Amino acid sequence: MAFETETPDLVADLNARLRNASPQEILREAIDYYGDSLALVSSFGAESAVLLHMMAQIDKDVPVLFLDTGMLFGQTLDYRKTLATQLGLTDVRDLRPSFADLATQDPNADLYKTSTDACCNIRKVLPLDRAIQGFGAWITGRKRFHGGDRLRLAVVEKAEGKVKFNPLANWGKAELDAYVAEHDLPPHPLVAMGYPSVGCWPCTSPVEDGQDVRAGRWAGQDKTECGIHVARAPGAVHDVGGDI
Ligand code: SF4
């Protein structure tokens, strides 16, 4: 298992070697390197079925971390259950905000109205930080075509002491759609209602044809990421806003 002797060079070498690899090759390499120290983080959102299906074809027992923020659409919670069952995933873990954080910072569940950064911090960033402690590396579903900071997304990167594999970084919408059709994967129910990206209900809007995939996330705000994928200065409070 390589992570115990991991060096910046190793991450750079992995990235150089895998930058044009297929998503499945990247997933297999991640498993080879990290084994039991690897998790996949999924929002069970609009495009999540592709990566989850690929992983299920390789290893159904890899831990899948799902952030149940307490603010998700009911359709997402239903989709999480049906998709996990259909794919045979054996270890989907529901991550929830701590009772203490909710009681002290968001007792009325309306923090998103005054600070989306603080709300994302207690409902997404901190629960994932706690859950990811025991892992050396994780897999995300981010893609460059989503734009913003993701335009420069590497296939393998290191952040906050963890290696992140982004197997779908190179894929565009056409490849995702073709994979879904080939494997007859069930769509998230909100996609047909105009939501190409799905997060929490207070912060997700449907988009018009031709708008960016993530245009409906925190629409009208500068915020584009929840904070999970934002680099933090040493000792910084997790106060910047992304999705998985
Ligand atoms: S996306 Fe909105 S509701 Fe969800 S955690 Fe962030 S601010 Fe809160």
Coordinates of all heavy atoms in Angstrom, one line a residue, residues 3 6-8 11 14 34 36-39 41 65 128-140 142 155-166 228-229 232:
F3 N 0.4 4.6 0.2 CA 0.1 5.9 0.8 C 1.0 6.1 2.0 O 1.3 7.3 2.3 CB -1.3 6.0 1.2 CG -1.8 5.2 2.3 CD1 -1.8 5.7 3.6 CD2 -2.3 3.9 2.1 CE1 -2.2 4.9 4.7 CE2 -2.7 3.1 3.1 CZ -2.7 3.6 4.4
E6 N 4.0 8.0 0.7 CA 3.6 8.9 -0.3 C 4.5 10.1 -0.3 O 4.8 10.7 0.7 CB 2.2 9.2 -0.1 CG 1.5 10.0 -1.0 CD 0.1 10.2 -0.4 OE1 -0.7 9.3 -0.4 OE2 -0.1 11.3 0.1
T7 N 4.8 10.6 -1.5 CA 5.6 11.8 -1.7 C 4.9 12.7 -2.7 O 4.1 12.2 -3.5 CB 7.0 11.5 -2.2 OG1 6.9 11.0 -3.5 CG2 7.7 10.5 -1.3
P8 N 5.2 14.0 -2.7 CA 4.6 14.8 -3.7 C 4.9 14.3 -5.1 O 4.1 14.4 -6.0 CB 5.2 16.2 -3.5 CG 5.6 16.2 -2.0 CD 6.0 14.8 -1.7
V11 N 2.4 11.7 -6.3 CA 1.1 12.2 -6.8 C 1.3 12.8 -8.2 O 0.5 12.6 -9.1 CB 0.6 13.3 -5.8 CG1 -0.7 14.0 -6.3 CG2 0.3 12.7 -4.4
L14 N 1.7 9.9 -10.5 CA 0.4 9.3 -10.8 C -0.4 10.1 -11.8 O -1.0 9.6 -12.7 CB -0.4 9.1 -9.5 CG -0.2 7.9 -8.6 CD1 -0.9 8.0 -7.3 CD2 -0.6 6.6 -9.4
Y34 N -4.4 2.3 -2.8 CA -4.9 2.6 -1.5 C -5.8 1.6 -0.8 O -6.0 1.7 0.4 CB -5.7 4.0 -1.6 CG -4.7 5.1 -1.8 CD1 -4.4 5.5 -3.1 CD2 -4.0 5.7 -0.7 CE1 -3.5 6.5 -3.3 CE2 -3.1 6.6 -0.9 CZ -2.8 7.1 -2.2 OH -1.9 8.0 -2.4
D36 N -7.9 -0.6 1.3 CA -8.9 -0.3 2.3 C -8.9 1.2 2.8 O -9.7 1.6 3.6 CB -8.7 -1.1 3.6 CG -9.0 -2.6 3.3 OD1 -9.6 -2.9 2.3 OD2 -8.5 -3.5 4.1
S37 N -7.9 1.9 2.3 CA -7.8 3.3 2.7 C -8.4 4.3 1.7 O -8.1 5.5 1.7 CB -6.3 3.7 3.0 OG -6.2 5.0 3.6
L38 N -9.2 3.7 0.9 CA -9.9 4.5 -0.2 C -11.4 4.6 0.0 O -12.0 3.6 0.3 CB -9.6 3.8 -1.6 CG -10.2 4.5 -2.8 CD1 -9.4 5.8 -3.1 CD2 -10.1 3.5 -4.0
A39 N -11.9 5.8 -0.2 CA -13.4 6.0 -0.2 C -13.8 6.7 -1.4 O -13.0 7.5 -2.1 CB -13.8 6.8 1.1
V41 N -16.6 9.6 -2.6 CA -17.6 10.5 -2.1 C -18.6 10.9 -3.2 O -18.2 11.3 -4.3 CB -16.9 11.8 -1.6 CG1 -17.9 12.8 -1.1 CG2 -15.9 11.4 -0.5
L65 N -19.2 7.5 0.6 CA -19.6 8.5 1.6 C -20.7 9.5 1.0 O -20.4 10.1 0.0 CB -18.4 9.3 2.1 CG -17.2 8.5 2.6 CD1 -16.1 9.4 3.1 CD2 -17.6 7.5 3.7
L128 N -17.7 15.7 6.4 CA -16.8 15.0 5.6 C -15.4 15.0 6.2 O -14.7 13.9 6.1 CB -16.8 15.6 4.2 CG -15.9 14.8 3.2 CD1 -16.4 13.4 3.0 CD2 -15.8 15.5 1.8
D129 N -15.0 16.1 6.7 CA -13.7 16.1 7.4 C -13.6 15.0 8.4 O -12.6 14.2 8.5 CB -13.4 17.4 8.1 CG -12.9 18.5 7.2 OD1 -12.6 18.1 6.0 OD2 -12.6 19.6 7.6
R130 N -14.6 14.8 9.2 CA -14.6 13.8 10.3 C -14.6 12.4 9.7 O -13.8 11.5 10.1 CB -15.9 13.9 11.2 CG -15.8 15.1 12.1 CD -17.0 15.1 13.1 NE -18.3 15.4 12.6 CZ -18.8 16.6 12.5 NH1 -18.1 17.6 13.0 NH2 -19.9 16.9 11.9
A131 N -15.4 12.2 8.6 CA -15.5 10.8 8.0 C -14.3 10.4 7.3 O -13.9 9.2 7.2 CB -16.7 10.8 7.1
I132 N -13.6 11.4 6.7 CA -12.5 11.1 5.8 C -11.2 10.9 6.6 O -10.2 10.4 6.0 CB -12.3 12.2 4.7 CG1 -11.8 11.7 3.4 CG2 -11.5 13.4 5.3 CD1 -12.8 11.0 2.6
Q133 N -11.2 11.2 7.9 CA -10.0 11.0 8.7 C -9.3 9.7 8.5 O -8.1 9.6 8.5 CB -10.3 11.2 10.2 CG -10.6 12.7 10.6 CD -9.4 13.6 10.2 OE1 -8.3 13.2 10.4 NE2 -9.8 14.7 9.6
G134 N -10.1 8.6 8.5 CA -9.6 7.3 8.5 C -9.1 6.8 7.1 O -8.7 5.7 6.9
F135 N -9.2 7.7 6.1 CA -8.8 7.3 4.7 C -7.6 8.0 4.2 O -7.4 9.2 4.6 CB -10.0 7.5 3.8 CG -11.2 6.7 4.1 CD1 -12.2 7.2 4.8 CD2 -11.3 5.4 3.7 CE1 -13.4 6.5 5.1 CE2 -12.4 4.6 4.0 CZ -13.5 5.2 4.7
G136 N -6.8 7.4 3.4 CA -5.7 8.1 2.8 C -6.0 8.8 1.5 O -5.2 9.7 1.1
A137 N -7.1 8.4 0.8 CA -7.4 8.9 -0.5 C -8.9 8.8 -0.7 O -9.5 7.9 -0.1 CB -6.6 8.2 -1.6
W138 N -9.4 9.7 -1.6 CA -10.8 9.6 -2.0 C -11.0 9.9 -3.4 O -10.2 10.5 -4.1 CB -11.7 10.4 -1.1 CG -11.4 11.8 -0.7 CD1 -10.2 12.3 -0.1 CD2 -12.2 13.0 -1.0 NE1 -10.3 13.6 0.0 CE2 -11.5 14.1 -0.5 CE3 -13.4 13.2 -1.5 CZ2 -12.0 15.4 -0.5 CZ3 -13.9 14.4 -1.6 CH2 -13.2 15.5 -1.1
I139 N -12.2 9.5 -3.9 CA -12.5 9.6 -5.3 C -13.7 10.6 -5.4 O -14.6 10.5 -4.6 CB -13.0 8.2 -5.9 CG1 -11.8 7.2 -5.8 CG2 -13.5 8.4 -7.3 CD1 -12.3 5.8 -5.9
T140 N -13.6 11.5 -6.3 CA -14.7 12.5 -6.5 C -15.2 12.3 -7.9 O -14.6 11.8 -8.8 CB -14.2 13.9 -6.3 OG1 -13.8 14.5 -7.6 CG2 -13.1 14.1 -5.3
R142 N -15.9 15.0 -9.9 CA -15.8 16.3 -10.5 C -15.3 16.2 -12.0 O -14.6 15.3 -12.3 CB -14.9 17.2 -9.8 CG -15.5 17.7 -8.4 CD -14.5 18.5 -7.6 NE -13.3 17.6 -7.3 CZ -12.1 18.1 -7.0 NH1 -11.9 19.4 -7.0 NH2 -11.2 17.3 -6.7
V155 N -6.3 14.9 -12.8 CA -6.9 13.6 -12.6 C -6.5 13.1 -11.2 O -7.3 12.4 -10.5 CB -6.4 12.7 -13.7 CG1 -6.7 11.2 -13.3 CG2 -7.1 13.0 -15.0
V156 N -5.3 13.4 -10.7 CA -4.9 13.1 -9.4 C -4.3 14.3 -8.7 O -3.5 15.0 -9.4 CB -3.8 12.0 -9.4 CG1 -3.5 11.5 -7.9 CG2 -4.2 10.8 -10.2
E157 N -4.7 14.6 -7.5 CA -4.2 15.8 -6.8 C -4.1 15.5 -5.4 O -4.6 14.4 -4.9 CB -5.2 17.0 -7.0 CG -6.6 16.6 -6.6 CD -7.7 17.7 -6.9 OE1 -7.3 18.9 -7.1 OE2 -8.9 17.4 -6.9
K158 N -3.5 16.4 -4.6 CA -3.4 16.2 -3.2 C -3.9 17.5 -2.5 O -3.5 18.6 -2.9 CB -2.0 15.9 -2.8 CG -1.9 15.5 -1.3 CD -0.7 14.8 -0.9 CE -0.7 14.3 0.5 NZ 0.5 13.6 0.9
A159 N -4.8 17.3 -1.5 CA -5.3 18.5 -0.8 C -5.6 18.1 0.6 O -6.2 17.0 0.9 CB -6.5 19.0 -1.5
E160 N -5.3 18.9 1.6 CA -5.6 18.7 3.0 C -5.1 17.3 3.4 O -5.7 16.6 4.2 CB -7.1 18.8 3.2 CG -7.8 20.0 2.7 CD -7.2 21.3 3.2 OE1 -6.8 21.4 4.3 OE2 -7.0 22.2 2.3
G161 N -3.9 17.0 2.9 CA -3.3 15.7 3.4 C -3.8 14.5 2.8 O -3.4 13.4 3.1
K162 N -4.8 14.6 1.9 CA -5.4 13.4 1.2 C -5.2 13.5 -0.3 O -5.3 14.6 -0.9 CB -6.9 13.3 1.5 CG -7.3 13.5 2.9 CD -7.0 12.2 3.7 CE -7.4 12.4 5.2 NZ -6.9 11.3 6.1
V163 N -5.0 12.3 -0.9 CA -4.9 12.3 -2.3 C -6.4 12.2 -2.9 O -7.2 11.4 -2.3 CB -4.1 11.0 -2.8 CG1 -4.2 10.9 -4.3 CG2 -2.7 11.2 -2.4
K164 N -6.6 12.9 -3.9 CA -8.0 12.9 -4.5 C -7.8 12.4 -6.0 O -7.0 12.9 -6.8 CB -8.6 14.2 -4.5 CG -9.0 14.7 -3.1 CD -10.1 15.8 -3.1 CE -9.6 17.1 -3.2 NZ -10.6 18.2 -3.0
F165 N -8.6 11.4 -6.3 CA -8.7 10.9 -7.7 C -10.0 11.4 -8.3 O -11.0 11.3 -7.7 CB -8.7 9.3 -7.7 CG -7.4 8.7 -7.3 CD1 -7.1 8.5 -6.0 CD2 -6.4 8.3 -8.3 CE1 -5.9 7.9 -5.6 CE2 -5.3 7.7 -7.9 CZ -5.0 7.5 -6.5
N166 N -9.8 11.9 -9.5 CA -11.0 12.5 -10.3 C -11.1 11.8 -11.6 O -10.7 12.3 -12.7 CB -10.8 14.0 -10.5 CG -10.4 14.7 -9.2 OD1 -11.2 14.6 -8.2 ND2 -9.3 15.5 -9.2
I228 N -15.7 21.9 0.2 CA -15.1 20.6 0.3 C -13.8 20.6 -0.6 O -12.8 20.0 -0.2 CB -16.1 19.5 -0.1 CG1 -17.1 19.3 1.0 CG2 -15.3 18.2 -0.4 CD1 -18.2 18.4 0.6
H229 N -13.9 21.2 -1.7 CA -12.8 21.1 -2.7 C -12.0 22.4 -2.8 O -11.3 22.7 -3.7 CB -13.3 20.8 -4.1 CG -14.0 19.4 -4.1 ND1 -13.3 18.3 -3.9 CD2 -15.3 19.1 -4.3 CE1 -14.1 17.2 -3.9 NE2 -15.3 17.7 -4.2
R232 N -7.4 25.2 1.7 CA -7.5 26.0 3.0 C -6.1 26.3 3.5 O -5.2 25.5 3.4 CB -8.3 25.2 4.1 CG -9.6 24.7 3.6 CD -10.1 23.6 4.6 NE -11.1 22.9 4.1 CZ -11.5 21.7 4.5 NH1 -10.9 21.1 5.6 NH2 -12.5 21.0 4.0

